[in-house]
Amino acid sequence: MDVEQRKAVLQGYIDKTRRLQRKYAILMSALGAVAIGLMFWNSTIGSLAVVFVGAVAGIGFWVTAAHILEHRGKIAELDRLERMRKNPPPAKGGHRRWQVREPD
């Protein structure tokens, strides 16, 4: 698999994760509304439900955001490796930034 195909696959993963986040937000909103409704029926059970739904929602968004960040990092790494392949550092004499260039 070449670099462009790999980047397309990673971008597909990002898009799927964003769609999952949207679906998850709808689900957690509905469950949050049910938990708040439970507070009117029984404050103890409702309070526990609100805390539970809030924790699950927070952790779920944290995990999906971490997956998106990881995939973006992989894409950035592929870009960096591609730049290094096109413009490799010099073999001797240290980093190219500190080399003295001869005028043409």
Side-chain angles (χ1 to χ4, degrees), residues 10-53:
L10 290 170
Q11 188 60 45
Y13 291 161
I14 291 171
D15 295 338
K16 285 180 185 178
T17 306
R18 288 206 183 277
R19 282 193 301 272
L20 178 66
Q21 276 184 330
R22 283 192 292 273
K23 290 176 185 177
Y24 194 69
I26 293 168
L27 175 66
M28 287 295 118
S29 298
L31 289 177
V34 169
I36 290 172
L38 281 174
M39 286 183 71
F40 291 112
W41 176 67
N42 186 335
S43 62
T44 305
I45 293 173
S47 299
L48 290 173
V50 168
V51 169
F52 180 74
V53 169

Side-chain angles (χ1 to χ4, degrees), residues 71-96:
H71 296 317
R72 283 184 181 166
K74 288 179 184 178
I75 290 172
E77 180 68 16
L78 288 172
D79 287 339
R80 186 186 68 77
L81 291 174
E82 193 172 3
R83 280 194 314 272
M84 290 295 289
R85 191 174 351 170
K86 290 179 182 176
N87 189 13
K92 294 192 303 186
H95 194 274
R96 66 178 170 266

